[in-house]
Amino acid sequence: MPGECRTPPLQLGHRLWRMTAGRAGGWGILAQLLLLLVVVWLGYEITSNAQANLKAQRIAAGLGFLNNTAGFGVSQSLIAYDESDTYLRVFAVGLLNTLLVSFIGCVLATIIGFMVGLGRLSPNWLVARLAGGYVELIRNLPLLFQILFWYLAVLGTLPGARGSISVFGVAFLNNRGVVVPRPVPLDGFAPFVVAIGLALAVTVAMKILARRRLYQTGKPLRVWPWALGLLVGLPAASAVLGGAPFSFEQPELRGFNFVGGTRLVPELIALVLALSTYTAAFIAEIVRAGIQAVPKGQIEAASALGLRRGAALRLIVVPQSLRVILPPLTNQYLNLTKNSSLAVAIGYPDLVSVFAGTTLSQTGQAIEIIAITMGVYLLISLATSAGMNLYNYYLFRNRSA
């Protein structure tokens, strides 16, 4: 009709959409507020219930129990410990044992995994099939079964202390573990450590300079003779000038056991072997996938330049594959660290066994101990991830520069 104002269809649709979105946004905010109230109510109920139970059992909440006397022994400790120490000392002992297993396991798993991963791509038919069989067998067996296998079927069947298997008269293997000589620091130990640190620092600096020169000029700089000379020469000079850095306390069989030296308990050996071999099977597949992700043209170009297979892998293929390998490799390190909590099955005194197990059963401080244990594993995982991310960043930043 004349004089009638009509709203264009596009504007009308826009207004309807705004009205609908506004109503949906209001309902969304209301739903979030209701969810927040439910979460707060659940948290209040859980806290109130926990406080009532602790009061009924006459257990004081807080961390004061850490200063109480533990009253139990630990089979392995990297620091001085006896039964008169506190629960805080027990926590430190368990944490150090967990870190020890995790570190050794990650190193061994990386070495074994890279070797098996390269073996799966070997042109040798037998090596490739053996590596493939290892991966398929190990990663499809439960980890707990493998821990028990190493502990009961392998180490548990070894002879006693008097029938120990001698390794060149230096180390002795029996069902109580492995007894090895113990290094005893002498007056020249501090200068010896400083010499090794200085040699490592100079070697790393030379490696960085050689890499930069290679990328900028294309001319390689042979570093290993200088590095070998520094790593051998500086500590040797320190030992000559400052005296012997340490001596070795040899183990000696007296009666039914060994005296002196250092004993590696069978629980530690079984746990390290199971964790490293199990995780290595997954790392091998990661390495294989990373190498196969590198374009075949890179390998063909290396072959055209006259590089042998080993040199092509070391200089061209593996450095490029690290971009694919490092992220899932970090996940395997985290899995190995968390899987170390299965040590409780064979009695290895890790954090879960002595702190979340024995300490919890004696004190009843379940909330505090579980919270501390969760926080420790979370912190270890975050630190591992941050370290690997930092290494990944600097590795590829230097190459791009």
Side-chain angles (χ1 to χ4, degrees):
M1 296 178 61
E4 182 179 356
C5 181
R6 295 184 178 181
T7 304
L10 291 178
Q11 294 185 9
L12 181 60
H14 181 65
R15 289 180 182 179
L16 291 174
W17 177 83
R18 290 181 61 183
M19 293 174 60
T20 306
R23 292 178 181 176
W27 284 110
I29 294 175
L30 181 61
Q32 294 181 38
L33 290 176
L34 290 176
L35 179 60
L36 178 61
L37 290 176
V38 171
V39 171
V40 171
W41 175 75
L42 288 175
Y44 172 77
E45 289 294 330
I46 292 173
T47 305
S48 301
N49 186 43
Q51 290 178 349
N53 291 334
L54 291 175
K55 185 176 180 179
Q57 298 178 12
R58 297 180 180 180
I59 298 176
L63 302 179
F65 73 96
L66 292 175
N67 296 321
N68 298 335
T69 302
F72 63 90
V74 176
S75 61
Q76 174 183 302
S77 175
L78 298 179
I79 56 178
Y81 173 81
D82 56 41
E83 297 181 358
S84 62
D85 285 324
T86 62
Y87 288 117
L88 183 60
R89 192 75 170 182
V90 171
F91 168 77
V93 169
L95 176 60
L96 290 177
N97 287 340
T98 296
L99 294 177
L100 175 66
V101 168
S102 301
F103 177 76
I104 298 177
C106 287
V107 173
L108 292 179
T110 303
I111 296 173
I112 299 173
F114 265 83
M115 293 176 61
V116 175
L118 293 176
R120 291 210 65 183
L121 300 174
S122 174
N124 187 299
W125 183 89
L126 180 60
V127 172
R129 294 303 180 275
L130 288 176
Y134 169 85
V135 171
E136 295 300 328
L137 174 65
I138 297 299
R139 71 175 182 174
N140 287 301
L141 292 177
L143 177 56
L144 181 58
F145 169 80
Q146 297 186 41
I147 294 175
L148 295 176
F149 168 78
W150 285 105
Y151 184 64
L152 299 175
V154 177
L155 299 178
T157 58
L158 293 174
R162 303 194 68 175
S164 298
I165 301 174
S166 176
V167 182
F168 303 110
V170 177
F172 301 91
L173 182 63
N174 53 61
N175 56 10
R176 297 182 181 179
V178 179
V179 186
V180 296
R182 182 171 69 91
V184 180
L186 300 177
D187 294 336
F189 181 74
F192 184 78
V193 173
V194 172
I196 293 179
L198 181 60
L200 289 174
V202 175
T203 300
V204 172
M206 292 180 62
K207 186 67 176 177
I208 294 174
L209 292 176
R211 179 177 296 173
R212 289 182 179 178
R213 178 185 175 184
L214 178 63
Y215 290 156
Q216 292 175 0
T217 65
K219 298 180 180 180
L221 177 63
R222 184 171 293 181
V223 177
W224 71 266
W226 299 95
L228 183 62
L230 288 172
L231 293 174
V232 175
L234 285 181
S238 172
V240 172
L241 297 177
F246 48 80
S247 62
F248 288 98
E249 181 184 74
Q250 298 293 334
E252 182 181 353
L253 180 63
R254 293 182 182 177
F256 296 96
N257 206 350
F258 282 89
V259 177
T262 299
R263 183 171 69 94
L264 305 178
V265 295
E267 293 81 8
L268 171 64
I269 300 173
L271 189 62
V272 168
L273 289 174
L275 288 175
S276 58
T277 52
Y278 178 77
T279 309
F282 294 91
I283 294 179
E285 287 296 276
I286 294 172
V287 171
R288 181 184 64 83
I291 292 177
Q292 289 183 334
V294 177
K296 292 184 178 181
Q298 298 290 318
I299 303 177
E300 294 172 355
S303 178
L305 292 174
L307 293 178
R308 296 183 178 179
R309 176 179 173 82
L313 286 174
R314 180 171 55 88
L315 298 175
I316 297 176
V317 178
V318 172
Q320 295 185 66
S321 65
L322 288 178
R323 188 181 295 274
V324 179
I325 291 174
L326 286 180
L329 181 63
T330 304
N331 291 335
Q332 293 304 318
Y333 289 163
L334 300 180
N335 290 337
L336 188 148
T337 303
K338 291 178 286 188
N339 287 337
S340 65
S341 60
L342 292 174
V344 67
I346 57 175
Y348 177 74
D350 74 322
L351 182 64
V352 174
S353 176
V354 299
F355 192 67
T358 307
T359 301
L360 191 153
S361 63
Q362 288 188 356
T363 62
Q365 307 284 158
I367 298 177
E368 294 85 351
I369 291 177
I370 295 300
I372 292 174
T373 305
M374 290 171 57
V376 167
Y377 277 101
L378 177 62
L379 183 61
I380 293 175
S381 298
L382 293 177
T384 303
S385 300
M388 293 296 292
N389 289 335
L390 189 64
Y391 171 72
N392 190 16
Y393 170 75
Y394 279 104
L395 179 66
F396 291 103
R397 189 194 68 167
N398 293 334
R399 287 179 181 174
S400 61

